[in-house]
């Protein structure tokens, strides 16, 4: 799931040999590792994620590559408080949804760029993962007991951050941060599901927090209810469409 989404971003970010890159909210390194390969030993990638577990997964991904990547520098830190500047490229794949202050966080990342540098951001398209998530929430409410009900209530009260929902709106939004030559693009993507993959997606996405506090037996009941609801509602595919925006800091 993450590799094609991240590679679509890297394709549009177009990292070049020798560039200095900040990969904000790097997760398991799905965009940071290929970017490090492209900038080569003459460049560097600072891959930042607030989760130490995620940066460790990124390290394991990098160690699995055919050649060492000393240019990949992993940091367990908050990207919205990252201080170094002068980057040729700053990219953030589905990370702004974790910012407490989306506008402030994006402005901070843009400020890390050197004049002429590129900012690339990937957002979920409207409706992406919606039916899948609703079925999961309903299953957790039905079978998760008090802990499940509290988790669903907390998840639903969080809502979707106020971010652009169309390529044109994304391009305009990036312009509000002082970026030039902005553009946005819809990247449609759907993934066929079976029960195993559907549950692995639950555990591999931010929706994991809906079941994180459940004991094993309760989690198994939730999984069974979730699969039954998917079958009942005909959810055999998940929408993983994104919109990707690119902008340039003025020279």
């Amino acid at each position: 799931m993450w590799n094609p989404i991240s590679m679509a971003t890297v394709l549009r970010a177009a990292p070049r040999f020798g560039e200095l890159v900040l990969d904000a909210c790097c997760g398991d390194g799905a965009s940071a590792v290929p970017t490090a390969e492209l900038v080569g030993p003459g460049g560097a990638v600072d891959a930042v994620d607030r989760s130490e577990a995620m940066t460790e997964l990124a390290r394991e991904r990098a160690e699995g590559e055919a050649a060492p990547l000393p240019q990949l520098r992993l940091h367990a830190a908050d990207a919205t408080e990252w201080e170094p500047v002068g980057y040729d490229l700053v990219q953030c794949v589905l990370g702004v949804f974790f910012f407490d202050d989306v506008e402030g966080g994006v402005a901070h990342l843009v400020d890390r760029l050197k004049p002429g540098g590129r900012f690339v951001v990937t957002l979920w398209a409207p409706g992406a993962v919606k039916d899948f998530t609703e079925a999961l929430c309903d299953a957790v409410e039905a079978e998760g007991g008090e802990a499940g009900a509290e988790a669903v209530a907390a998840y639903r009260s969080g809502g979707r951050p106020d971010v652009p929902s169309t390529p044109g709106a994304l391009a305009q939004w990036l312009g509000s941060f002082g970026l030039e030559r902005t553009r946005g693009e819809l990247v449609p993507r759907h993934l066929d599901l079976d029960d195993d993959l559907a549950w692995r997606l639950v555990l591999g996405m931010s929706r994991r927090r809906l079941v994180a506090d459940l004991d094993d037996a309760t989690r198994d009941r939730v999984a069974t209810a979730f699969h039954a609801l998917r079958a009942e509602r005909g959810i055999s595919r998940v929408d993983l469409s994104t919109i990707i925006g690119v902008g340039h800091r003025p020279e």
Side-chain angles (χ1 to χ4, degrees):
M1 169 182 167
W2 297 122
N3 288 353
I5 291 174
S6 296
M7 289 307 299
T9 305
V10 173
L11 177 65
R12 289 152 181 85
R16 304 182 188 111
F17 188 82
E19 286 193 320
L20 179 61
V21 180
L22 173 61
D23 190 303
C25 309
C26 68
D28 69 354
S31 57
V33 170
T35 297
E37 292 174 333
L38 289 169
V39 303
V45 177
D46 284 317
V48 179
D49 197 285
R50 67 176 64 177
S51 167
E52 291 187 9
M54 284 291 103
T55 56
E56 189 56 36
L57 287 175
R59 192 181 315 280
E60 292 174 7
R61 179 189 286 266
E63 290 173 350
E65 295 298 308
L69 295 172
Q71 63 270 32
L72 178 62
R73 307 183 300 208
L74 294 161
H75 311 270
D78 187 340
T80 64
E81 298 178 358
W82 186 252
E83 289 303 322
V85 297
Y87 290 96
D88 298 286
L89 167 65
V90 174
Q91 59 190 19
C92 185
V93 182
L94 301 176
V96 304
F97 297 99
F98 298 102
F99 294 170
D100 295 330
D101 173 8
V102 174
E103 296 273 341
V106 171
H108 182 82
L109 294 181
V110 169
D111 285 344
R112 304 306 100 197
L113 289 168
K114 74 177 187 181
R118 310 181 305 287
F119 180 70
V120 182
V121 62
T122 301
L123 308 175
W124 286 119
V129 207
K130 181 180 179 182
D131 294 343
F132 180 96
T133 302
E134 287 180 349
L136 176 61
C137 285
D138 290 346
V140 173
E141 279 188 320
E143 298 292 342
E146 183 177 348
E150 290 176 355
V152 172
Y155 183 86
R156 286 177 168 158
S157 66
R160 175 187 167 95
D162 186 16
V163 295
S165 58
T166 67
L170 178 53
Q172 186 175 8
W173 188 61
L174 292 180
S176 73
F177 296 98
L179 297 172
E180 300 177 338
R181 289 178 285 150
T182 61
R183 68 181 190 275
E185 181 180 352
L186 174 67
V187 183
R189 188 175 304 281
H190 294 78
L191 185 65
D192 291 332
L193 295 172
D194 58 24
D195 286 353
D196 176 66
L197 178 56
W199 193 246
R200 284 193 289 124
L201 285 180
V202 170
L203 300 181
M205 301 175 71
S206 62
R207 288 140 187 86
R208 177 185 176 88
R209 64 182 184 267
L210 288 164
V211 299
D213 294 332
L214 306 181
D215 59 56
D216 290 345
T218 304
R219 192 179 294 187
D220 287 344
R221 290 197 301 272
V222 168
T224 299
F226 173 55
H227 299 322
L229 284 174
R230 283 196 310 104
E232 178 184 317
R233 299 175 186 181
I235 304 172
S236 59
R237 308 178 79 203
V238 60
D239 183 353
L240 300 175
S241 300
T242 57
I243 50 176
I244 302 175
V246 181
H248 300 255
R249 189 169 186 178
E251 295 281 358

